[in-house]
Amino acid sequence: MIEAWNAADVRAAEAPLLEAGEPLMERASFALAMQVLADLRARRRHLRGARVVLLVGAGNNGGDALHAGGVLARRGLAVTAVLVSERAHTGGLAALRSAGGRVVELFADPARTAAVAADAASADVVLDGMVGIGARGALRGPAADLVTALTDARGGRRGSGARVVAVDLPSGIGADDGTVDGPVLPADRTVTFGAAKPGLLLPPAAHLVGELTVVDIGLSLEGAPALRRLEAVDVGRAWPVPGPTDQKYSRGVVGLVAGTSTYPGAAVLSASAAVRAGAGMVRYRGPGAVGHAVLAARPEVVAAPGRVQSWVVGPGVPPSDEDDGQHGRGGGGLAAARGDLGGMSQGATPAVVDAGGLSLLEPPCPPWFVLTPHAGELETLLRRHGEDVHRRDVEAAPLRWARRAHELTGATVLLKGGVTVVVGPSGAYAQADAPAWLSTAGAGDVLAGLLGAMLAARSAEVVERPGLAAEIAAAAALVHGRAAERANPGGPVAALDVADALPATVASLVAQA
Ligand SMILES: NC(=O)C1=CN([C@@H]2O[C@H](COP(=O)(O)OP(=O)(O)OC[C@H]3O[C@@H](n4cnc5c(N)ncnc54)[C@H](O)[C@@H]3O)[C@@H](O)[C@H]2O)[C@@H](O)CC1
Ligand SMILES: [K+]
C-alpha cells in the first residue's frame, strides 16, 4: 500500500529531525542523484558527458536539486543549474559550484528563456526543482515562463528528448489535492521524499507524475495518512478465498437490479462480472425480458426472489425521472432493494448504487452503501444537495467533491475516472490501475457487478466496520483495471472481455500475495 501525507504532516515530521541536526536534505538529494544515475545507466552506455539541467527555485526544493547536481557533477556529468529566482539555496549552490557545475541566472535575463528551454530540452535529464511542498498557488514568474517554453520545446510530449525528473513533486501541482492551476512540466519520474503526497496520486496532477519513487529519509509520520493507494499484494491478501466449509450462501449472494428493455446489456455485464468474480450466487431481480438475456448469457444466475448479501442497483436503469417503471413492474426487484435502501435502521445489506440507482437514494445512507458515479453523475448528485458545482469542478478536484458527496450522503463514494477516487468514513483511496482503453461503454456495469460480489463475500464485516466498504471499493477498482489489462494488454478492450478476465486476474492476485 502507498500511503500519502499532506504537506503539513510531512513538515511536522521533519521538524524534530532537523532540530536534531539530521541531514535530511543530503539524504534526499543523494537518493535523488542515485535514481537519476540508475535511469541514465538504463539508457546510455557511458555516464561521462551526460548532460543534466537543474531547474532551481528559491527554496529547499531547489536545494535538493542543487545538492543532487553536485553529486552528479562529481561523477563526471555535465551539470547546469538554471536559477529561476534571485534567491537560491546557499549550501546547494556552493556544493554544485565546487563540484564543477555551471550556473545560469535566468531570473536576471528572462529574454534567454526560449534558448535555455531549448538547451534543457536537448539534455539527457532535466531535474525540476523549482518548487515543492512550499509552493503557494500555481507557478508564477520566470518559473512559469520556463515551464511553458520547455513544454513547447519538447513538443508537449513526455518521453521525447530530455528525461524529466521531478524533485519531490512536479513543480506547481497542489501537493495535498492534486490540482493543476497553471503550467506544470510533465515528469517521466517523480522522486518524492519522506512519504508520497496526496497530489501525486490524485488527478489531474497524477497524470503528470510519471513513475513514482518514494525515498525514505527517516521521517516517522503519525496518525492516519490523508490518502492511500492499494497495491496488488494488498488485494490478493484480503481476497475472500473460499474454504472447505464454504457454500454459496456463505460466499455471498448478489441481488442485481439492473437493465431495462432499452439497456438490457448493462444487466448482462453486471451479472457476468459478479459471477466471474466468484459470487456464491447472483439473483436477478428485474424486467422479465432482460432476465431472459441475463440467463442466456449466464445460466448460473437465478431469477427468483430470496436472501441476498449485497445489492447492485442501477446499472442500465435510467434516472427515476426518466424511468418508465419497468423495475417497478418486473419481479419487484427494485421494491426489494428499495426496502433495503430505505429501511436502513433495520436493513443491513451492503449495496452498490450505480447510474439510475443514484436518483433513488434517500440520504442519510450508511457507509456500506457504495455510490459509483462518474464525474457527470456526481455533479447531478451534488446539485441535488444544493452544491453549485459542475462536472469540470469535479474533474479538477475529485477528492474534494467525492468527500463532499460522502459528507452529504453518509455513503461511501467511488468516483470513476482515469484514476478512481474512493472516500469512506475512515479515509480516502486513489487507484490508478486501469489502462485508458478501459474508458468504454459497459465498463462501469462490470465494476458494479464485481464490487457487488466483493461486498457480498464480506457482507457482515462490511456492516460492522465502517471503513471496510471503501477499502473493498478501492480493491474492486484495482481488480477491474488489472482485468482490463489482462483482457488485451496494450490494446482496446471490450467490457465483457474485462468480466471474462476476472477469474484469471483474481487467481494471479491471490497467488502473488
Ligand atoms: N525541510 C527539509 O530539510 C527538507 C525539505 N525538503 C525539500 O524542501 C521542499 C520544501 O522546501 P521549502 O519549504 O523551502 O519550499 P519550496 O522549495 O517548495 O518553495 C518555496 C519557495 O518557492 C517560491 N514560491 C512559492 N510559490 C511559488 C510559485 N507559485 N511560483 C514560483 N515560486 C514560488 C517561494 O519564493 C519560496 O521561496 C520539499 O518539497 C523538499 O523538496 C527535502 O530536502 C527534505 C528535507
Ligand atoms: K519540484
Side-chain angles (χ1 to χ4, degrees), residues 313-405:
V313 182
V317 178
S320 54
D321 52 354
E322 295 167 27
D323 189 5
D324 60 2
Q326 289 183 52
H327 279 277
R329 292 196 298 272
L334 193 55
R338 230 197 246 269
D340 266 21
L341 298 189
M344 222 32 55
S345 38
Q346 310 89 329
T349 310
V352 181
V353 186
D354 187 47
L358 293 168
S359 66
L360 298 172
L361 275 185
E362 286 168 21
C365 304
W368 57 84
F369 278 20
V370 184
L371 319 187
T372 56
H374 53 60
E377 289 166 335
L378 193 69
E379 172 195 303
T380 307
L381 189 146
L382 288 163
R383 292 183 81 82
R384 258 209 332 271
H385 284 84
E387 294 288 339
D388 182 17
V389 59
H390 294 278
R391 182 188 183 122
R392 61 176 180 276
D393 305 317
V394 171
E395 285 164 347
L399 176 61
R400 171 179 173 198
W401 291 110
R403 180 169 286 142
R404 187 73 190 122

XYZ file of all heavy atoms in Angstrom, residues 313-405:
677
model
N -27.621 -2.016 -7.540
C -28.841 -1.348 -8.004
C -28.496 -0.246 -8.992
O -27.765 0.686 -8.645
C -29.595 -0.707 -6.800
C -30.884 -0.062 -7.287
C -29.898 -1.754 -5.748
N -28.983 -0.380 -10.196
C -28.929 0.769 -11.089
C -28.228 0.651 -12.422
O -28.500 1.471 -13.299
N -27.306 -0.317 -12.641
C -26.685 -0.343 -13.978
C -27.750 -0.482 -15.070
O -28.646 -1.329 -14.964
C -25.782 -1.592 -13.930
C -25.476 -1.785 -12.484
C -26.719 -1.340 -11.758
N -27.670 0.350 -16.079
C -28.632 0.272 -17.173
C -30.046 0.689 -16.795
O -30.987 0.440 -17.548
N -30.200 1.317 -15.634
C -31.511 1.836 -15.246
C -31.445 3.349 -15.394
O -30.539 3.971 -14.840
C -31.849 1.467 -13.782
C -33.195 2.039 -13.374
C -31.823 -0.044 -13.601
N -32.384 3.944 -16.150
C -32.316 5.400 -16.299
C -32.661 6.093 -14.972
O -33.261 5.469 -14.094
C -33.359 5.705 -17.368
C -34.206 4.508 -17.482
C -33.473 3.345 -16.894
N -32.284 7.360 -14.820
C -32.651 8.080 -13.601
C -34.161 8.026 -13.388
O -34.925 7.898 -14.352
C -32.208 9.512 -13.884
C -31.225 9.414 -14.990
C -31.564 8.189 -15.771
N -34.603 8.115 -12.127
C -36.021 7.866 -11.817
C -36.960 8.770 -12.609
O -38.038 8.355 -13.002
C -36.269 8.002 -10.324
O -35.808 9.252 -9.889
N -36.522 10.006 -12.901
C -37.449 10.887 -13.620
C -37.591 10.488 -15.087
O -38.484 10.945 -15.778
C -37.030 12.360 -13.478
C -35.564 12.589 -13.854
O -34.863 11.584 -14.103
O -35.150 13.748 -13.906
N -36.719 9.600 -15.576
C -36.876 9.122 -16.958
C -37.317 7.659 -16.983
O -37.497 7.075 -18.042
C -35.523 9.202 -17.698
C -35.004 10.607 -17.885
C -33.539 10.595 -18.313
O -33.096 9.606 -18.937
O -32.837 11.572 -17.993
N -37.461 7.062 -15.819
C -37.754 5.632 -15.738
C -39.188 5.387 -16.194
O -40.100 6.094 -15.798
C -37.557 5.178 -14.279
C -37.634 3.669 -14.139
O -37.743 2.988 -15.182
O -37.596 3.200 -13.000
N -39.372 4.392 -17.030
C -40.734 4.082 -17.467
C -41.370 3.026 -16.566
O -42.360 2.404 -16.926
C -40.737 3.640 -18.930
C -39.876 2.389 -19.131
O -39.329 1.884 -18.119
O -39.763 1.931 -20.268
N -40.814 2.765 -15.434
C -41.458 1.896 -14.436
C -41.206 0.418 -14.627
O -41.812 -0.400 -13.952
N -40.283 0.042 -15.526
C -40.073 -1.390 -15.769
C -39.649 -2.138 -14.512
O -40.051 -3.261 -14.278
C -38.989 -1.588 -16.838
C -39.452 -1.195 -18.226
C -38.366 -1.486 -19.256
O -37.846 -2.582 -19.323
N -38.046 -0.494 -20.064
N -38.822 -1.510 -13.700
C -38.357 -2.196 -12.497
C -39.440 -2.262 -11.442
O -39.484 -3.202 -10.660
C -37.078 -1.546 -11.963
C -35.879 -2.018 -12.697
N -35.250 -3.182 -12.378
C -35.251 -1.505 -13.784
C -34.248 -3.366 -13.233
N -34.231 -2.367 -14.097
N -40.325 -1.254 -11.446
C -41.444 -1.299 -10.506
C -42.353 -2.474 -10.829
O -42.843 -3.172 -9.941
N -42.520 -2.753 -12.131
C -43.431 -3.819 -12.537
C -42.775 -5.192 -12.445
O -43.375 -6.147 -12.000
C -43.864 -3.607 -14.004
C -44.733 -2.409 -14.218
C -45.429 -2.489 -15.586
N -44.482 -2.493 -16.708
C -44.023 -1.390 -17.288
N -44.406 -0.203 -16.861
N -43.201 -1.465 -18.297
N -41.550 -5.250 -12.883
C -40.945 -6.572 -13.113
C -40.350 -7.193 -11.868
O -39.329 -6.731 -11.384
N -40.963 -8.189 -11.327
C -40.329 -9.004 -10.295
C -40.174 -8.326 -8.948
O -39.779 -8.965 -7.982
N -40.470 -7.059 -8.878
C -40.380 -6.362 -7.594
C -38.965 -6.212 -7.084
O -38.736 -5.967 -5.910
N -37.971 -6.351 -7.967
C -36.582 -6.256 -7.524
C -36.266 -4.891 -6.969
O -35.614 -4.768 -5.925
N -36.766 -3.891 -7.667
C -36.473 -2.541 -7.210
C -37.118 -2.296 -5.851
O -36.514 -1.706 -4.961
C -36.972 -1.528 -8.234
C -36.462 -0.120 -8.051
C -34.944 -0.095 -8.023
C -36.973 0.762 -9.176
N -38.346 -2.799 -5.714
C -39.033 -2.638 -4.434
C -38.248 -3.337 -3.325
O -38.086 -2.794 -2.233
C -40.454 -3.204 -4.529
N -37.755 -4.532 -3.619
C -36.984 -5.263 -2.607
C -35.730 -4.482 -2.232
O -35.416 -4.296 -1.053
C -36.592 -6.643 -3.138
N -35.036 -4.000 -3.262
C -33.821 -3.237 -2.994
C -34.163 -1.935 -2.279
O -33.512 -1.547 -1.328
C -33.095 -2.943 -4.294
N -35.226 -1.282 -2.750
C -35.651 -0.026 -2.139
C -35.948 -0.231 -0.658
O -35.627 0.613 0.173
C -36.899 0.486 -2.841
C -36.810 1.938 -3.270
C -38.220 2.415 -3.542
N -38.439 2.722 -4.942
C -38.230 3.946 -5.449
N -37.750 4.901 -4.716
N -38.517 4.181 -6.706
N -36.544 -1.373 -0.369
C -36.817 -1.698 1.028
C -35.526 -1.677 1.825
O -35.438 -1.045 2.876
N -34.506 -2.304 1.281
C -33.213 -2.306 1.967
C -32.560 -0.932 1.921
O -31.961 -0.481 2.886
C -32.272 -3.325 1.314
C -32.343 -4.660 2.034
O -33.371 -4.882 2.711
O -31.394 -5.435 1.923
N -32.660 -0.278 0.758
C -32.034 1.035 0.625
C -32.715 2.032 1.549
O -32.075 2.924 2.092
C -32.119 1.551 -0.814
C -31.432 0.755 -1.911
C -31.445 1.540 -3.214
C -30.008 0.417 -1.578
N -34.023 1.892 1.722
C -34.765 2.837 2.543
C -34.707 2.484 4.018
O -34.422 3.332 4.857
N -34.957 1.232 4.352
C -35.093 0.849 5.756
C -33.756 0.583 6.401
O -33.462 -0.509 6.871
N -32.937 1.632 6.444
C -31.556 1.455 6.839
C -31.386 0.925 8.252
O -30.543 0.083 8.517
C -30.834 2.784 6.720
C -29.501 2.635 6.129
S -29.527 1.307 4.984
C -30.863 1.835 3.966
N -32.231 1.424 9.139
C -32.033 1.037 10.528
C -32.232 -0.472 10.688
O -31.517 -1.118 11.444
C -32.997 1.813 11.426
O -34.230 1.953 10.776
N -33.198 -1.036 9.926
C -33.399 -2.482 10.008
C -32.463 -3.212 9.043
O -31.727 -4.105 9.445
C -34.842 -2.887 9.643
C -35.926 -2.116 10.355
C -36.317 -0.852 9.564
O -35.493 -0.265 8.873
N -37.572 -0.447 9.663
N -32.506 -2.771 7.769
C -31.733 -3.482 6.745
C -30.247 -3.250 6.958
O -29.829 -2.158 7.302
N -29.462 -4.263 6.793
C -28.019 -4.111 6.921
C -27.360 -4.874 5.792
O -26.562 -5.777 5.997
C -27.553 -4.603 8.275
N -27.747 -4.510 4.575
C -27.208 -5.186 3.406
C -26.362 -4.199 2.610
O -26.869 -3.163 2.182
C -28.354 -5.707 2.511
O -29.258 -6.422 3.329
C -27.830 -6.596 1.412
N -25.076 -4.494 2.420
C -24.262 -3.599 1.597
C -24.866 -3.462 0.196
O -25.531 -4.394 -0.286
C -22.911 -4.311 1.538
C -22.884 -5.205 2.725
C -24.313 -5.631 2.947
N -24.636 -2.323 -0.417
C -25.190 -2.099 -1.752
C -24.236 -1.290 -2.609
O -23.533 -0.410 -2.106
C -26.523 -1.377 -1.649
N -24.246 -1.623 -3.899
C -23.590 -0.779 -4.893
C -24.708 -0.005 -5.563
O -25.660 -0.610 -6.061
C -22.866 -1.628 -5.961
C -22.174 -0.738 -6.976
C -21.895 -2.592 -5.307
N -24.622 1.301 -5.542
C -25.671 2.110 -6.149
C -25.064 2.850 -7.330
O -24.185 3.700 -7.162
C -26.288 3.085 -5.120
C -27.475 3.811 -5.737
C -26.701 2.338 -3.855
N -25.520 2.490 -8.514
C -24.884 2.949 -9.745
C -25.927 3.612 -10.644
O -27.138 3.360 -10.506
C -24.281 1.713 -10.450
C -23.440 2.059 -11.667
O -22.599 2.968 -11.553
O -23.621 1.416 -12.721
N -25.480 4.438 -11.572
C -26.304 5.008 -12.636
C -27.676 5.448 -12.118
O -27.761 6.263 -11.194
C -26.419 4.007 -13.785
N -28.763 4.875 -12.691
C -30.103 5.303 -12.303
C -30.408 5.070 -10.835
O -31.271 5.746 -10.258
N -29.719 4.133 -10.217
C -29.925 3.875 -8.793
C -29.605 5.100 -7.940
O -30.176 5.294 -6.861
N -28.695 5.936 -8.439
C -28.275 7.103 -7.657
C -29.432 8.061 -7.415
O -29.486 8.736 -6.394
C -27.133 7.836 -8.383
C -25.817 7.058 -8.469
C -24.852 7.716 -9.450
C -25.165 6.951 -7.090
N -30.386 8.089 -8.367
C -31.508 9.024 -8.198
C -32.545 8.475 -7.219
O -33.481 9.177 -6.858
C -32.133 9.339 -9.554
O -32.716 8.174 -10.082
N -32.389 7.220 -6.799
C -33.335 6.626 -5.836
C -32.905 6.859 -4.397
O -33.655 6.604 -3.471
C -33.386 5.107 -6.040
C -33.866 4.600 -7.370
C -33.664 3.098 -7.436
C -35.312 4.959 -7.563
N -31.683 7.305 -4.230
C -31.126 7.406 -2.877
C -31.899 8.379 -2.023
O -32.273 9.458 -2.480
C -29.695 7.933 -2.954
C -28.592 6.951 -3.202
C -27.283 7.696 -3.098
C -28.635 5.802 -2.212
N -32.103 7.972 -0.791
C -32.702 8.903 0.155
C -31.781 8.994 1.360
O -31.946 8.267 2.334
C -34.097 8.413 0.548
C -35.094 8.622 -0.572
C -36.402 7.895 -0.329
O -36.688 7.563 0.833
O -37.112 7.674 -1.322
N -30.790 9.899 1.297
C -29.848 10.018 2.410
C -30.574 10.407 3.701
O -31.658 10.989 3.609
C -28.912 11.134 1.959
C -29.077 11.188 0.478
C -30.488 10.803 0.200
N -30.030 10.134 4.861
C -28.695 9.598 5.056
C -28.579 8.115 4.726
O -29.498 7.341 4.968
C -28.444 9.832 6.549
C -29.792 9.847 7.170
C -30.719 10.426 6.141
N -27.445 7.753 4.176
C -27.154 6.364 3.832
C -26.076 5.856 4.785
O -25.289 6.637 5.314
C -26.589 6.268 2.421
S -27.632 6.977 1.164
N -26.008 4.552 4.940
C -24.919 4.000 5.745
C -23.644 3.888 4.902
O -23.717 3.886 3.669
C -25.433 2.603 6.100
C -26.298 2.249 4.941
C -26.896 3.511 4.408
N -22.493 3.778 5.541
C -21.238 3.700 4.777
C -21.108 2.420 3.965
O -20.252 2.341 3.090
C -20.152 3.787 5.858
C -20.821 3.413 7.132
C -22.253 3.812 6.996
N -21.974 1.433 4.255
C -21.868 0.190 3.469
C -22.652 0.282 2.160
O -22.759 -0.668 1.428
C -22.275 -1.028 4.302
C -23.640 -1.008 4.907
C -24.799 -1.362 4.297
C -23.988 -0.654 6.251
N -25.843 -1.237 5.172
C -25.379 -0.812 6.380
C -23.247 -0.231 7.361
C -26.062 -0.544 7.564
C -23.931 0.032 8.533
C -25.310 -0.121 8.635
N -23.182 1.464 1.863
C -23.660 1.749 0.508
C -22.511 2.379 -0.246
O -21.944 3.370 0.208
C -24.797 2.769 0.529
C -26.131 2.187 0.830
C -26.255 0.956 1.453
C -27.279 2.874 0.488
C -27.490 0.432 1.729
C -28.521 2.352 0.764
C -28.629 1.134 1.383
N -22.205 1.819 -1.400
C -21.133 2.404 -2.204
C -21.751 3.006 -3.456
O -22.317 2.291 -4.289
C -20.073 1.350 -2.586
C -18.926 2.025 -3.331
C -19.552 0.627 -1.345
N -21.679 4.318 -3.565
C -22.182 5.003 -4.757
C -21.056 5.019 -5.786
O -19.903 5.278 -5.432
C -22.588 6.435 -4.424
C -23.328 6.684 -3.101
C -23.797 8.135 -3.034
C -24.493 5.733 -2.938
N -21.396 4.736 -7.042
C -20.342 4.641 -8.066
C -20.600 5.598 -9.239
O -20.733 5.154 -10.382
C -20.218 3.191 -8.591
O -21.504 2.781 -9.091
C -19.780 2.231 -7.513
N -20.656 6.891 -8.965
C -20.896 7.831 -10.062
C -19.635 8.097 -10.883
O -18.522 7.942 -10.379
C -21.282 9.117 -9.319
C -20.511 9.034 -8.029
C -20.483 7.567 -7.681
N -19.810 8.514 -12.136
C -18.718 9.200 -12.839
C -18.902 10.694 -12.572
O -19.848 11.088 -11.879
C -18.665 8.839 -14.319
C -19.957 9.028 -15.064
N -20.587 10.250 -15.171
C -20.754 8.142 -15.724
C -21.686 10.113 -15.872
N -21.831 8.842 -16.209
N -17.986 11.503 -13.111
C -17.986 12.926 -12.734
C -19.333 13.593 -13.031
O -19.832 14.393 -12.233
C -16.858 13.657 -13.449
N -19.952 13.252 -14.173
C -21.237 13.875 -14.539
C -22.329 13.485 -13.559
O -23.164 14.311 -13.155
N -22.346 12.203 -13.168
C -23.362 11.754 -12.207
C -23.111 12.352 -10.826
O -24.054 12.627 -10.077
C -23.359 10.223 -12.128
C -23.921 9.585 -13.381
C -23.626 8.090 -13.490
O -22.635 7.621 -12.886
O -24.368 7.398 -14.206
N -21.838 12.572 -10.482
C -21.555 13.195 -9.188
C -22.034 14.645 -9.197
O -22.572 15.130 -8.195
C -20.066 13.130 -8.841
C -19.788 13.476 -7.374
C -20.322 12.395 -6.437
C -18.311 13.677 -7.114
N -21.859 15.315 -10.336
C -22.387 16.687 -10.457
C -23.876 16.683 -10.144
O -24.366 17.467 -9.327
C -22.141 17.233 -11.865
C -22.838 18.570 -12.110
C -22.921 18.978 -13.578
O -21.882 19.079 -14.227
O -24.054 19.203 -14.057
N -24.625 15.779 -10.787
C -26.079 15.722 -10.584
C -26.407 15.474 -9.122
O -27.271 16.134 -8.534
C -26.675 14.593 -11.452
O -26.239 14.795 -12.792
C -28.185 14.570 -11.394
N -25.699 14.521 -8.523
C -25.965 14.171 -7.129
C -25.691 15.361 -6.203
O -26.482 15.691 -5.322
C -25.094 12.973 -6.761
C -25.344 12.285 -5.435
C -25.082 10.791 -5.604
C -24.433 12.796 -4.335
N -24.565 16.022 -6.442
C -24.201 17.155 -5.581
C -25.170 18.314 -5.769
O -25.549 18.987 -4.805
C -22.770 17.611 -5.889
C -21.656 16.670 -5.419
C -20.333 16.988 -6.121
C -21.475 16.766 -3.898
N -25.578 18.539 -7.013
C -26.509 19.647 -7.262
C -27.848 19.384 -6.593
O -28.512 20.311 -6.136
C -26.675 19.877 -8.773
C -25.411 20.420 -9.420
C -25.583 20.708 -10.892
N -26.221 21.990 -11.139
C -25.584 23.155 -11.131
N -24.295 23.200 -10.927
N -26.238 24.270 -11.340
N -28.237 18.098 -6.560
C -29.496 17.769 -5.852
C -29.397 18.121 -4.373
O -30.395 18.347 -3.713
C -29.780 16.265 -6.002
C -30.835 15.954 -7.030
C -31.651 14.684 -6.772
N -31.018 13.648 -6.028
C -30.280 12.673 -6.554
N -30.072 12.614 -7.834
N -29.760 11.746 -5.758
N -28.158 18.148 -3.873
C -27.961 18.516 -2.467
C -27.594 19.986 -2.308
O -27.080 20.397 -1.274
C -26.863 17.647 -1.840
C -27.326 16.264 -1.542
N -27.326 15.264 -2.487
C -27.845 15.720 -0.425
C -27.801 14.163 -1.948
N -28.134 14.410 -0.702
N -27.822 20.766 -3.347
C -27.661 22.219 -3.217
C -26.260 22.743 -3.490
O -26.000 23.924 -3.279
N -25.336 21.891 -3.953
C -23.988 22.379 -4.256
C -23.976 22.969 -5.666
O -24.468 22.332 -6.599
C -22.966 21.231 -4.188
C -22.768 20.646 -2.817
C -22.010 21.578 -1.877
O -21.303 22.475 -2.357
O -22.141 21.388 -0.648
N -23.388 24.145 -5.799
C -23.286 24.758 -7.122
C -21.979 24.281 -7.755
O -20.941 24.917 -7.633
C -23.302 26.285 -6.981
C -23.257 26.959 -8.340
O -23.531 26.275 -9.354
O -22.923 28.151 -8.391
N -22.035 23.126 -8.389
C -20.804 22.517 -8.877
C -21.043 21.962 -10.277
O -22.163 21.569 -10.611
C -20.351 21.398 -7.897
C -21.409 20.326 -7.760
C -19.028 20.779 -8.302
N -20.002 22.008 -11.090
C -20.098 21.470 -12.450
C -19.119 20.320 -12.612
O -18.157 20.211 -11.863
C -19.792 22.574 -13.466
C -20.817 23.656 -13.448
N -22.011 23.551 -14.113
C -20.846 24.828 -12.779
C -22.737 24.635 -13.880
N -22.059 25.422 -13.062
N -19.398 19.543 -13.623
C -18.549 18.385 -13.910
C -17.067 18.767 -13.951
O -16.224 18.069 -13.399
C -18.997 17.805 -15.265
C -18.241 16.586 -15.635
C -18.522 16.113 -17.044
N -17.759 14.887 -17.203
C -18.254 13.717 -17.520
N -19.528 13.593 -17.785
N -17.500 12.661 -17.588
N -16.763 19.909 -14.581
C -15.344 20.300 -14.702
C -14.735 20.560 -13.318
O -13.547 20.344 -13.102
C -15.177 21.516 -15.627
C -15.889 22.756 -15.162
C -15.618 23.976 -16.038
N -16.348 25.113 -15.498
C -17.620 25.372 -15.770
N -18.309 24.589 -16.594
N -18.226 26.415 -15.218
N -15.566 21.039 -12.356
C -15.052 21.249 -10.993
C -14.720 19.898 -10.361
O -13.718 19.754 -9.660
C -16.085 21.959 -10.112
C -16.552 23.271 -10.728
O -15.688 24.004 -11.224
O -17.772 23.536 -10.721
N -15.597 18.926 -10.605
C -15.371 17.577 -10.063
C -14.078 17.015 -10.640
O -13.249 16.451 -9.917
C -16.570 16.660 -10.396
C -16.256 15.216 -10.035
C -17.832 17.138 -9.687
N -13.888 17.216 -11.936
C -12.676 16.679 -12.580
C -11.416 17.404 -12.111
O -10.345 16.813 -12.056
C -12.815 16.758 -14.103
C -13.756 15.683 -14.610
C -14.257 15.910 -16.023
O -14.076 17.028 -16.560
O -14.850 14.985 -16.581
N -11.556 18.681 -11.757
C -10.383 19.461 -11.333
C -9.991 19.154 -9.891
O -8.843 19.352 -9.508
C -10.660 20.952 -11.489
N -10.943 18.689 -9.081
C -10.655 18.415 -7.662
C -11.496 17.231 -7.196
O -12.382 17.362 -6.354
C -10.953 19.653 -6.822
N -11.198 16.029 -7.755
C -12.077 14.883 -7.497
C -12.155 14.467 -6.023
O -13.229 14.085 -5.557
C -11.483 13.773 -8.353
C -10.130 14.222 -8.741
C -10.133 15.714 -8.721
N -11.036 14.568 -5.302
C -11.086 14.149 -3.895
C -12.022 15.073 -3.108
O -12.836 14.620 -2.309
C -9.682 14.153 -3.275
C -9.646 13.815 -1.789
C -10.189 12.409 -1.525
C -8.228 13.929 -1.225
N -11.874 16.362 -3.356
C -12.715 17.327 -2.638
C -14.194 17.026 -2.847
O -14.988 16.991 -1.910
C -12.393 18.731 -3.164
C -13.347 19.754 -2.640
C -13.038 21.147 -3.130
N -14.132 22.010 -2.696
C -14.382 23.190 -3.206
N -13.612 23.670 -4.160
N -15.388 23.893 -2.765
N -14.601 16.755 -4.087
C -16.027 16.594 -4.368
C -16.531 15.201 -4.002
O -17.683 15.040 -3.601
C -16.339 16.976 -5.809
C -16.175 18.456 -5.980
C -15.193 19.108 -6.675
C -16.979 19.486 -5.370
N -15.340 20.463 -6.547
C -16.430 20.732 -5.763
C -18.107 19.473 -4.546
C -16.973 21.955 -5.353
C -18.657 20.697 -4.134
C -18.094 21.909 -4.532
N -15.687 14.212 -4.119
C -16.095 12.875 -3.646
C -16.295 12.932 -2.128
O -17.239 12.345 -1.582
C -15.049 11.837 -4.019
N -15.398 13.657 -1.452
C -15.526 13.785 0.006
C -16.813 14.533 0.373
O -17.519 14.163 1.303
C -14.303 14.526 0.555
C -14.348 14.703 2.059
C -13.030 15.178 2.600
N -12.050 14.121 2.610
C -10.759 14.274 2.324
N -10.298 15.454 1.980
N -9.937 13.261 2.387
N -17.108 15.555 -0.420
C -18.339 16.323 -0.150
C -19.564 15.413 -0.303
O -20.497 15.465 0.505
C -18.418 17.513 -1.114
C -19.548 18.453 -0.816
C -19.267 19.294 0.430
N -20.452 20.021 0.850
C -21.021 19.906 2.053
N -20.515 19.097 2.967
N -22.099 20.600 2.338
N -19.557 14.582 -1.338
C -20.692 13.672 -1.561
C -20.796 12.674 -0.405
O -21.899 12.331 0.045
C -20.537 12.944 -2.887
